[in-house]
Amino acid sequence: NAGVTQTPKFQVLKTGQSMTLQCAQDMNHEYMSWYRQDPGMGLRLIHYSVGAGITDQGEVPNGYNVSRSTTEDFPLRLLSAAPSQTSVYFCASSYYRTGGGYGYTFGSGTRLTVV
Amino acid sequence: GDSVTQMEGPVTLSEEAFLTINCTYTATGYPSLFWYVQYPGEGLQLLLKATKADDKGSNKGFEATYRKETTSFHLEKGSVQVSDSAVYFCARVNTGNQFYFGTGTSLTVIP
């Protein structure tokens, strides 16, 4: 089925470890984003991309890197995990069409625990 | 700066009760506005949207009207069901296609 695929669904890391959260979409959307969801804080934008080769920082970018080498993929890298990065991470892809509004699709999330 | 503010939860209602979840926004211009729903253990799903003033978004019995006079986009449903139990997020999008979400309102509907 078309949509946004995130892997893994669950992950436990030790402090200082690195890992990459994968995100792929098959809808040919230009825009992709990463959010983290924490209790009482809603969703906060980490990084986003408006197209292949272009990325930018959101509200809470520290400790995370992204790249966008293809339209389909937008991996999120934790370089040195910290307990403060324990959260649920959502990837999203979206499009905008003049006169056609917005479309925005979320992945099912990755629950990350850093111990 | 631009933001979205929604009423804090949790909200607990009996089945068939009337639901209102308030949402207000601050933004330059007239952003598109959205309500997303997150069921337990799942990602966010678009519930409804409105792209200009006075538009009414509706889906699954939920409605929200874009009110530019009060900068609001309150979510309503006339008769909630147990299956509506979820977390609801109000959101707006800026011209750069970045979404900004409220903090979410948890709704529990009891039989």
Side-chain angles (χ1 to χ4, degrees):
Chain A
N1 292 335
V4 177
T5 302
Q6 282 185 242
T7 56
K9 292 190 181 302
F10 301 94
Q11 183 70 50
V12 179
L13 290 179
K14 293 183 179 179
T15 298
Q17 285 185 313
S18 63
M19 80 159 295
T20 300
L21 307 185
Q22 302 292 343
C23 177
Q25 54 99 359
D26 58 4
M27 298 171 285
N28 203 32
H29 286 175
E30 303 97 339
Y31 301 90
M32 297 187 75
S33 311
W34 275 102
Y35 293 85
R36 59 178 289 173
Q37 183 179 24
D38 301 293
M41 304 193 74
L43 278 82
R44 293 182 291 169
L45 181 65
I46 304 171
H47 285 284
Y48 65 98
S49 168
V50 299
I54 305 170
T55 63
D56 209 342
Q57 297 180 349
E59 302 170 71
V60 288
N62 293 341
Y64 307 95
N65 279 354
V66 292
S67 60
R68 184 93 181 272
S69 56
T70 66
T71 300
E72 294 78 19
D73 300 300
F74 191 45
L76 178 72
R77 296 183 184 85
L78 283 71
L79 302 178
S80 178
S84 61
Q85 294 178 304
T86 294
S87 186
V88 181
Y89 292 84
F90 288 99
C91 179
S93 74
S94 58
Y95 69 86
Y96 171 74
R97 298 285 182 266
T98 302
Y102 294 89
Y104 214 79
T105 303
F106 280 86
S108 57
T110 297
R111 185 174 295 275
L112 175 68
T113 302
V114 182
V115 297
Chain B
D2 297 348
S3 68
V4 172
T5 303
Q6 62 181 102
M7 65 182 282
E8 293 186 12
V11 175
T12 302
L13 294 174
S14 297
E15 206 165 22
E16 300 184 0
F18 185 85
L19 169 71
T20 299
I21 301 178
N22 290 340
C23 172
T24 58
Y25 68 91
T26 60
T28 54
Y30 302 106
S32 293
L33 301 173
F34 304 79
W35 277 100
Y36 279 81
V37 58
Q38 183 181 31
Y39 298 103
E42 299 183 11
L44 278 72
Q45 303 172 25
L46 178 64
L47 181 59
L48 53 84
K49 67 179 181 182
T51 57
K52 61 183 187 295
D54 300 324
D55 266 3
K56 177 185 284 187
S58 61
N59 186 26
K60 299 181 181 180
F62 291 88
E63 293 184 340
T65 301
Y66 191 139
R67 306 275 188 206
K68 70 175 183 179
E69 316 82 40
T70 54
T71 61
S72 65
F73 193 54
H74 304 324
L75 182 69
E76 297 181 337
K77 186 173 185 180
S79 177
V80 293
Q81 305 301 311
V82 173
S83 57
D84 293 327
S85 298
V87 181
Y88 293 82
F89 292 89
C90 185
R92 51 163 288 273
V93 63
N94 69 4
T95 53
N97 204 40
Q98 299 165 39
F99 270 58
Y100 291 90
F101 291 86
T103 54
T105 302
S106 174
L107 170 67
T108 300
V109 180
I110 54 178

